mmCIF file of all heavy atoms in Angstrom:
data_model
loop_
_atom_site.group_PDB
_atom_site.id
_atom_site.type_symbol
_atom_site.label_atom_id
_atom_site.label_comp_id
_atom_site.label_asym_id
_atom_site.label_seq_id
_atom_site.Cartn_x
_atom_site.Cartn_y
_atom_site.Cartn_z
ATOM 1 N N LEU A 102 -88.735 46.058 57.097
ATOM 2 C CA LEU A 102 -88.620 47.153 56.151
ATOM 3 C C LEU A 102 -87.731 46.740 54.991
ATOM 4 O O LEU A 102 -86.578 46.343 55.191
ATOM 5 C CB LEU A 102 -88.030 48.379 56.832
ATOM 6 C CG LEU A 102 -87.988 49.666 55.979
ATOM 7 C CD1 LEU A 102 -89.415 50.179 55.728
ATOM 8 C CD2 LEU A 102 -87.142 50.731 56.637
ATOM 9 N N SER A 103 -88.267 46.827 53.787
ATOM 10 C CA SER A 103 -87.545 46.392 52.607
ATOM 11 C C SER A 103 -87.702 47.421 51.493
ATOM 12 O O SER A 103 -88.714 48.115 51.410
ATOM 13 C CB SER A 103 -88.062 45.026 52.147
ATOM 14 O OG SER A 103 -87.564 44.694 50.870
ATOM 15 N N CYS A 104 -86.683 47.511 50.628
ATOM 16 C CA CYS A 104 -86.861 48.313 49.418
ATOM 17 C C CYS A 104 -87.653 47.478 48.410
ATOM 18 O O CYS A 104 -87.714 46.228 48.533
ATOM 19 C CB CYS A 104 -85.526 48.734 48.840
ATOM 20 S SG CYS A 104 -84.535 47.424 48.116
ATOM 21 N N ALA A 105 -88.268 48.130 47.443
ATOM 22 C CA ALA A 105 -89.102 47.432 46.479
ATOM 23 C C ALA A 105 -88.292 46.420 45.664
ATOM 24 O O ALA A 105 -88.785 45.343 45.310
ATOM 25 C CB ALA A 105 -89.784 48.420 45.559
ATOM 26 N N HIS A 106 -87.045 46.766 45.367
ATOM 27 C CA HIS A 106 -86.174 45.849 44.613
ATOM 28 C C HIS A 106 -86.044 44.527 45.336
ATOM 29 O O HIS A 106 -86.215 43.445 44.743
ATOM 30 C CB HIS A 106 -84.797 46.486 44.403
ATOM 31 C CG HIS A 106 -83.778 45.554 43.869
ATOM 32 N ND1 HIS A 106 -83.745 45.149 42.546
ATOM 33 C CD2 HIS A 106 -82.725 44.915 44.476
ATOM 34 C CE1 HIS A 106 -82.738 44.327 42.355
ATOM 35 N NE2 HIS A 106 -82.099 44.159 43.514
ATOM 36 N N CYS A 107 -85.733 44.571 46.632
ATOM 37 C CA CYS A 107 -85.536 43.342 47.411
ATOM 38 C C CYS A 107 -86.854 42.634 47.670
ATOM 39 O O CYS A 107 -86.921 41.385 47.614
ATOM 40 C CB CYS A 107 -84.845 43.658 48.718
ATOM 41 S SG CYS A 107 -83.106 44.137 48.512
ATOM 42 N N ASN A 108 -87.917 43.382 47.946
ATOM 43 C CA ASN A 108 -89.221 42.786 48.191
ATOM 44 C C ASN A 108 -89.696 42.022 46.964
ATOM 45 O O ASN A 108 -90.144 40.873 47.053
ATOM 46 C CB ASN A 108 -90.224 43.868 48.590
ATOM 47 C CG ASN A 108 -91.514 43.291 49.143
ATOM 48 O OD1 ASN A 108 -91.620 42.103 49.398
ATOM 49 N ND2 ASN A 108 -92.493 44.163 49.352
ATOM 50 N N ASN A 109 -89.586 42.634 45.792
ATOM 51 C CA ASN A 109 -90.020 42.002 44.574
ATOM 52 C C ASN A 109 -89.110 40.830 44.192
ATOM 53 O O ASN A 109 -89.574 39.835 43.617
ATOM 54 C CB ASN A 109 -90.055 43.012 43.422
ATOM 55 C CG ASN A 109 -91.111 44.085 43.626
ATOM 56 O OD1 ASN A 109 -92.079 43.877 44.334
ATOM 57 N ND2 ASN A 109 -90.917 45.240 43.012
ATOM 58 N N THR A 110 -87.840 40.954 44.499
ATOM 59 C CA THR A 110 -86.907 39.853 44.217
ATOM 60 C C THR A 110 -87.207 38.654 45.104
ATOM 61 O O THR A 110 -87.226 37.514 44.636
ATOM 62 C CB THR A 110 -85.456 40.306 44.456
ATOM 63 O OG1 THR A 110 -85.146 41.369 43.540
ATOM 64 C CG2 THR A 110 -84.480 39.170 44.237
ATOM 65 N N LYS A 111 -87.466 38.897 46.372
ATOM 66 C CA LYS A 111 -87.721 37.821 47.325
ATOM 67 C C LYS A 111 -89.040 37.119 47.054
ATOM 68 O O LYS A 111 -89.077 35.894 46.893
ATOM 69 C CB LYS A 111 -87.692 38.381 48.736
ATOM 70 C CG LYS A 111 -88.040 37.382 49.849
ATOM 71 C CD LYS A 111 -87.866 38.044 51.214
ATOM 72 C CE LYS A 111 -88.350 37.126 52.327
ATOM 73 N NZ LYS A 111 -89.840 37.103 52.409
ATOM 74 N N GLY A 112 -90.137 37.875 46.977
ATOM 75 C CA GLY A 112 -91.442 37.272 46.744
ATOM 76 C C GLY A 112 -91.681 36.070 47.648
ATOM 77 O O GLY A 112 -91.425 36.105 48.847
ATOM 78 N N ASN A 113 -92.118 34.986 47.058
ATOM 79 C CA ASN A 113 -92.338 33.735 47.782
ATOM 80 C C ASN A 113 -91.287 32.687 47.439
ATOM 81 O O ASN A 113 -91.448 31.512 47.737
ATOM 82 C CB ASN A 113 -93.725 33.171 47.472
ATOM 83 C CG ASN A 113 -94.827 34.113 47.881
ATOM 84 O OD1 ASN A 113 -94.667 34.897 48.821
ATOM 85 N ND2 ASN A 113 -95.980 34.045 47.214
ATOM 86 N N LYS A 114 -90.204 33.121 46.783
ATOM 87 C CA LYS A 114 -89.248 32.157 46.219
ATOM 88 C C LYS A 114 -88.224 31.658 47.222
ATOM 89 O O LYS A 114 -87.635 30.595 47.039
ATOM 90 C CB LYS A 114 -88.528 32.781 45.021
ATOM 91 C CG LYS A 114 -89.451 33.186 43.875
ATOM 92 C CD LYS A 114 -88.655 33.648 42.653
ATOM 93 C CE LYS A 114 -87.909 34.922 42.910
ATOM 94 N NZ LYS A 114 -88.818 36.100 43.074
ATOM 95 N N TYR A 115 -87.933 32.433 48.255
ATOM 96 C CA TYR A 115 -86.879 32.073 49.186
ATOM 97 C C TYR A 115 -87.446 31.975 50.594
ATOM 98 O O TYR A 115 -87.602 32.982 51.274
ATOM 99 C CB TYR A 115 -85.770 33.117 49.153
ATOM 100 C CG TYR A 115 -85.216 33.375 47.778
ATOM 101 C CD1 TYR A 115 -85.718 34.424 46.990
ATOM 102 C CD2 TYR A 115 -84.227 32.572 47.241
ATOM 103 C CE1 TYR A 115 -85.223 34.640 45.703
ATOM 104 C CE2 TYR A 115 -83.721 32.790 45.973
ATOM 105 C CZ TYR A 115 -84.224 33.831 45.211
ATOM 106 O OH TYR A 115 -83.733 34.053 43.951
ATOM 107 N N SER A 116 -87.769 30.778 51.014
ATOM 108 C CA SER A 116 -88.369 30.616 52.337
ATOM 109 C C SER A 116 -88.061 29.209 52.845
ATOM 110 O O SER A 116 -88.199 28.215 52.106
ATOM 111 C CB SER A 116 -89.881 30.829 52.255
ATOM 112 O OG SER A 116 -90.474 30.818 53.537
ATOM 113 N N PRO A 117 -87.611 29.138 54.113
ATOM 114 C CA PRO A 117 -87.381 30.248 55.037
ATOM 115 C C PRO A 117 -86.001 30.859 54.856
ATOM 116 O O PRO A 117 -85.093 30.201 54.361
ATOM 117 C CB PRO A 117 -87.513 29.578 56.407
ATOM 118 C CG PRO A 117 -86.974 28.200 56.151
ATOM 119 C CD PRO A 117 -87.409 27.838 54.763
ATOM 120 N N ILE A 118 -85.867 32.119 55.293
ATOM 121 C CA ILE A 118 -84.567 32.761 55.321
ATOM 122 C C ILE A 118 -84.230 33.125 56.767
ATOM 123 O O ILE A 118 -85.071 33.042 57.654
ATOM 124 C CB ILE A 118 -84.509 34.026 54.433
ATOM 125 C CG1 ILE A 118 -85.450 35.122 54.975
ATOM 126 C CG2 ILE A 118 -84.812 33.678 52.989
ATOM 127 C CD1 ILE A 118 -85.271 36.466 54.284
ATOM 128 N N LEU A 119 -82.994 33.511 56.993
ATOM 129 C CA LEU A 119 -82.562 33.895 58.337
ATOM 130 C C LEU A 119 -83.307 35.129 58.814
ATOM 131 O O LEU A 119 -83.519 36.082 58.063
ATOM 132 C CB LEU A 119 -81.061 34.170 58.345
ATOM 133 C CG LEU A 119 -80.149 32.991 58.035
ATOM 134 C CD1 LEU A 119 -78.700 33.460 57.850
ATOM 135 C CD2 LEU A 119 -80.220 31.930 59.134
ATOM 136 N N ASP A 120 -83.723 35.101 60.069
ATOM 137 C CA ASP A 120 -84.433 36.228 60.684
ATOM 138 C C ASP A 120 -83.383 37.138 61.322
ATOM 139 O O ASP A 120 -82.798 36.811 62.352
ATOM 140 C CB ASP A 120 -85.404 35.719 61.743
ATOM 141 C CG ASP A 120 -86.229 36.832 62.372
ATOM 142 O OD1 ASP A 120 -85.844 38.006 62.246
ATOM 143 O OD2 ASP A 120 -87.246 36.516 63.024
ATOM 144 N N CYS A 121 -83.161 38.290 60.704
ATOM 145 C CA CYS A 121 -82.075 39.177 61.159
ATOM 146 C C CYS A 121 -82.433 39.927 62.446
ATOM 147 O O CYS A 121 -81.634 40.735 62.921
ATOM 148 C CB CYS A 121 -81.689 40.157 60.066
ATOM 149 S SG CYS A 121 -83.010 41.310 59.587
ATOM 150 N N THR A 122 -83.626 39.695 63.005
ATOM 151 C CA THR A 122 -83.922 40.251 64.312
ATOM 152 C C THR A 122 -83.540 39.252 65.422
ATOM 153 O O THR A 122 -83.679 39.559 66.609
ATOM 154 C CB THR A 122 -85.385 40.657 64.465
ATOM 155 O OG1 THR A 122 -86.220 39.526 64.309
ATOM 156 C CG2 THR A 122 -85.754 41.716 63.432
ATOM 157 N N HIS A 123 -83.073 38.081 65.012
ATOM 158 C CA HIS A 123 -82.636 37.064 65.975
ATOM 159 C C HIS A 123 -81.242 36.530 65.676
ATOM 160 O O HIS A 123 -80.603 35.930 66.548
ATOM 161 C CB HIS A 123 -83.606 35.872 66.006
ATOM 162 C CG HIS A 123 -84.947 36.201 66.579
ATOM 163 N ND1 HIS A 123 -86.029 36.537 65.819
ATOM 164 C CD2 HIS A 123 -85.381 36.237 67.866
ATOM 165 C CE1 HIS A 123 -87.076 36.770 66.580
ATOM 166 N NE2 HIS A 123 -86.711 36.612 67.837
ATOM 167 N N VAL A 124 -80.756 36.727 64.433
ATOM 168 C CA VAL A 124 -79.521 36.101 64.004
ATOM 169 C C VAL A 124 -78.577 37.150 63.434
ATOM 170 O O VAL A 124 -79.021 38.059 62.717
ATOM 171 C CB VAL A 124 -79.807 35.023 62.939
ATOM 172 C CG1 VAL A 124 -78.518 34.441 62.379
ATOM 173 C CG2 VAL A 124 -80.688 33.913 63.488
ATOM 174 N N ASP A 125 -77.289 37.022 63.745
ATOM 175 C CA ASP A 125 -76.265 37.852 63.100
ATOM 176 C C ASP A 125 -75.975 37.209 61.753
ATOM 177 O O ASP A 125 -75.140 36.308 61.630
ATOM 178 C CB ASP A 125 -74.997 37.896 63.945
ATOM 179 C CG ASP A 125 -75.164 38.727 65.211
ATOM 180 O OD1 ASP A 125 -75.424 39.940 65.072
ATOM 181 O OD2 ASP A 125 -75.046 38.156 66.315
ATOM 182 N N VAL A 126 -76.638 37.693 60.722
ATOM 183 C CA VAL A 126 -76.513 37.075 59.401
ATOM 184 C C VAL A 126 -75.078 37.117 58.907
ATOM 185 O O VAL A 126 -74.593 36.169 58.278
ATOM 186 C CB VAL A 126 -77.462 37.763 58.393
ATOM 187 C CG1 VAL A 126 -77.302 37.160 57.009
ATOM 188 C CG2 VAL A 126 -78.909 37.657 58.859
ATOM 189 N N ASP A 127 -74.381 38.219 59.189
ATOM 190 C CA ASP A 127 -73.010 38.341 58.719
ATOM 191 C C ASP A 127 -72.012 37.498 59.514
ATOM 192 O O ASP A 127 -70.798 37.545 59.270
ATOM 193 C CB ASP A 127 -72.551 39.801 58.680
ATOM 194 C CG ASP A 127 -72.821 40.555 59.967
ATOM 195 O OD1 ASP A 127 -73.651 40.091 60.780
ATOM 196 O OD2 ASP A 127 -72.214 41.618 60.165
ATOM 197 N N LYS A 128 -72.502 36.682 60.454
ATOM 198 C CA LYS A 128 -71.685 35.629 61.062
ATOM 199 C C LYS A 128 -71.957 34.296 60.392
ATOM 200 O O LYS A 128 -71.182 33.337 60.548
ATOM 201 C CB LYS A 128 -71.996 35.513 62.561
ATOM 202 C CG LYS A 128 -71.473 36.645 63.423
ATOM 203 C CD LYS A 128 -71.767 36.374 64.884
ATOM 204 C CE LYS A 128 -71.234 37.483 65.779
ATOM 205 N NZ LYS A 128 -71.523 37.225 67.218
ATOM 206 N N ARG A 129 -73.044 34.238 59.637
ATOM 207 C CA ARG A 129 -73.431 32.990 58.952
ATOM 208 C C ARG A 129 -73.087 33.036 57.459
ATOM 209 O O ARG A 129 -73.000 32.005 56.805
ATOM 210 C CB ARG A 129 -74.930 32.764 59.124
ATOM 211 C CG ARG A 129 -75.442 32.789 60.574
ATOM 212 C CD ARG A 129 -75.268 31.458 61.250
ATOM 213 N NE ARG A 129 -76.223 30.499 60.761
ATOM 214 C CZ ARG A 129 -77.453 30.320 61.274
ATOM 215 N NH1 ARG A 129 -77.867 31.050 62.280
ATOM 216 N NH2 ARG A 129 -78.256 29.397 60.786
#
Side-chain angles (χ1 to χ4, degrees):
L102 186 69
S103 169
C104 70
H106 170 75
C107 289
N108 193 8
N109 294 336
T110 298
K111 176 176 173 284
N113 298 334
K114 299 187 293 292
Y115 305 94
S116 187
I118 65 170
L119 295 171
D120 183 343
C121 64
T122 62
H123 291 95
V124 176
D125 289 298
V126 178
D127 50 341
K128 288 183 179 180
R129 306 277 286 271

